[in-house]
Amino acid sequence: MLDRNWDDLRHVLAAARARSLAGAARLLGVNQTTVARRIARAERDWGVRLFERTAGALVPTEAGATAVGEAERIERAMQAVDGRITGRDDLAAGSVRLTTVPIIANRI
């Protein structure tokens, strides 16, 4: 198993979508410094620059575009897993008791 933090990839994806650290921070509900730190760690771990920082905008490098594409694929996979397993144990079970007035009960 890889010794990578999968959550770092979410920060890379958010930065690519927002094209800024501040925008990515808003998307993720975290501090801008956290986004910068996560991207720096991913770049250090992979040994490659993921973004060019030009005129206040983040532009993915070739490696960054590859990472973003894979992050989108993983995001879709996680959404599929979430949709398939969320609430599986929340099946209704047990007795249901209804109360009503006699006129309705007799009619049914």
Side-chain angles (χ1 to χ4, degrees):
M1 181 176 261
L2 290 174
D3 190 26
R4 303 257 194 258
N5 189 331
W6 294 101
D7 204 39
D8 290 346
L9 204 51
R10 279 185 347 117
H11 289 74
V12 170
L13 179 58
R17 287 178 173 165
R19 297 183 51 87
S20 72
L21 295 176
R26 280 190 298 277
L27 286 174
L28 296 170
V30 298
N31 187 296
Q32 182 175 340
T33 306
T34 300
V35 176
R37 191 176 61 245
R38 294 289 190 120
I39 291 172
R41 181 169 56 189
E43 289 177 334
R44 185 183 64 243
D45 288 350
W46 284 318
V48 65
R49 295 207 37 99
L50 298 173
F51 293 97
E52 292 294 329
R53 290 146 178 96
T54 57
L58 295 176
V59 179
T61 62
E62 187 177 331
T66 299
V68 168
E70 291 300 315
E72 289 172 335
R73 184 182 61 76
I74 292 168
E75 180 182 56
R76 285 189 302 273
M78 288 301 296
Q79 289 168 344
V81 168
D82 191 47
R84 289 183 146 177
I85 65 172
T86 297
R88 277 274 176 105
D89 289 343
D90 294 339
L91 300 175
S95 300
V96 177
R97 296 180 195 271
L98 300 175
T99 59
T100 186
V101 293
I103 194 164
I104 294 175
N106 292 336
R107 179 76 172 144
I108 295 176

